[in-house]
Amino acid sequence: MSELLMSTLAGFIIGAIFTAIKLPIPAPPVLSGCVAILGVWGGHQVVLHIMERFYS
């Protein structure tokens, strides 16, 4: 749980810094982009699980 909180805090700080110095945020600015990132991570996890199960 602390890893999740620390990554959220790091993302918040980075977003605040980028906004303060007037740079575009280093992440998709819309919810669909954020969901796509979760999909990429989910696909990665599924393939790792399949490879671990069948090729180990």
Side-chain angles (χ1 to χ4, degrees), residues 2-53:
S2 67
E3 183 177 305
L4 181 63
L5 291 174
M6 289 178 64
S7 63
T8 302
L9 180 61
F12 183 84
I13 291 170
I14 290 169
I17 290 170
F18 271 62
T19 301
I21 59 178
K22 297 183 174 141
L23 290 173
I25 59 172
V30 293
L31 181 59
S32 60
C34 295
V35 172
I37 291 171
L38 288 174
V40 169
W41 175 80
H44 170 75
Q45 293 298 314
V46 167
V47 170
L48 282 179
H49 178 71
I50 290 170
M51 288 175 62
E52 186 177 286
R53 183 176 180 128

